[in-house]
Amino acid sequence: MKDMYILLEVTGIIDSEALLKNGSCRILGLTTANPILQIGNNVFTGEYKETFGTMMFFDENDDQGQNSDEPSLGYICKADRKLELHRIILKPKKPLEEPKGKDGTSVTSTK
């Protein structure tokens, strides 16, 4: 499987501590129009948008230059789209009502 880099812009009630504490996330439907992201108990839905300009991804190299306080960066890739995500609140489904007969009594199936 090939690595994929995506710029995520997450909005909603979540702090950076929650991101660091959970350490991982789940993404459903990444290649669909409206992917879903889960970080801990927080759920977000989003859509892809064009960026203003080009976004570039870099990785910090272990080998810093000679006596340099600045990190050495290596280019990874570029992107012109981002995934904008907004928090949603999930509510449990209401239980389905049992079918009722004409007289108002419950109807059960014996299949």
Side-chain angles (χ1 to χ4, degrees):
M1 185 160 107
K2 186 178 169 185
D3 287 341
M4 181 184 297
Y5 293 89
I6 299 174
L7 175 64
L8 302 177
E9 187 173 286
V10 181
T11 58
I13 305 170
I14 190 166
D15 59 3
S16 58
E17 298 244 346
L19 290 172
L20 294 173
K21 186 165 82 170
N22 289 302
S24 65
C25 63
R26 294 175 56 187
I27 300 178
L28 302 172
L30 188 59
T31 59
T32 65
N34 299 101
I36 296 173
L37 169 69
Q38 180 181 3
I39 303 172
N41 293 327
N42 300 297
V43 180
F44 303 84
T45 186
E47 62 183 339
Y48 289 97
K49 301 273 183 139
E50 298 294 319
T51 61
F52 294 108
T54 301
M55 300 297 183
M56 298 175 70
F57 295 88
F58 293 90
D59 192 13
E60 190 171 338
N61 296 328
D62 292 336
D63 59 326
Q64 294 182 352
Q66 293 188 2
N67 301 326
S68 175
D69 292 334
E70 296 180 13
S72 173
L73 301 176
Y75 173 78
I76 297 174
C77 66
K78 64 181 179 176
D80 57 0
R81 293 188 332 152
K82 64 182 174 182
L83 179 53
E84 286 186 1
L85 296 152
H86 306 279
R87 185 164 184 212
I88 58 173
I89 306 297
L90 299 179
K91 296 180 182 176
K93 280 186 167 183
K94 293 180 181 176
L96 296 174
E97 291 186 23
E98 292 183 10
K100 302 211 183 256
K102 289 183 182 179
D103 59 359
T105 60
S106 293
V107 177
T108 56
S109 176
T110 56
K111 290 184 182 180

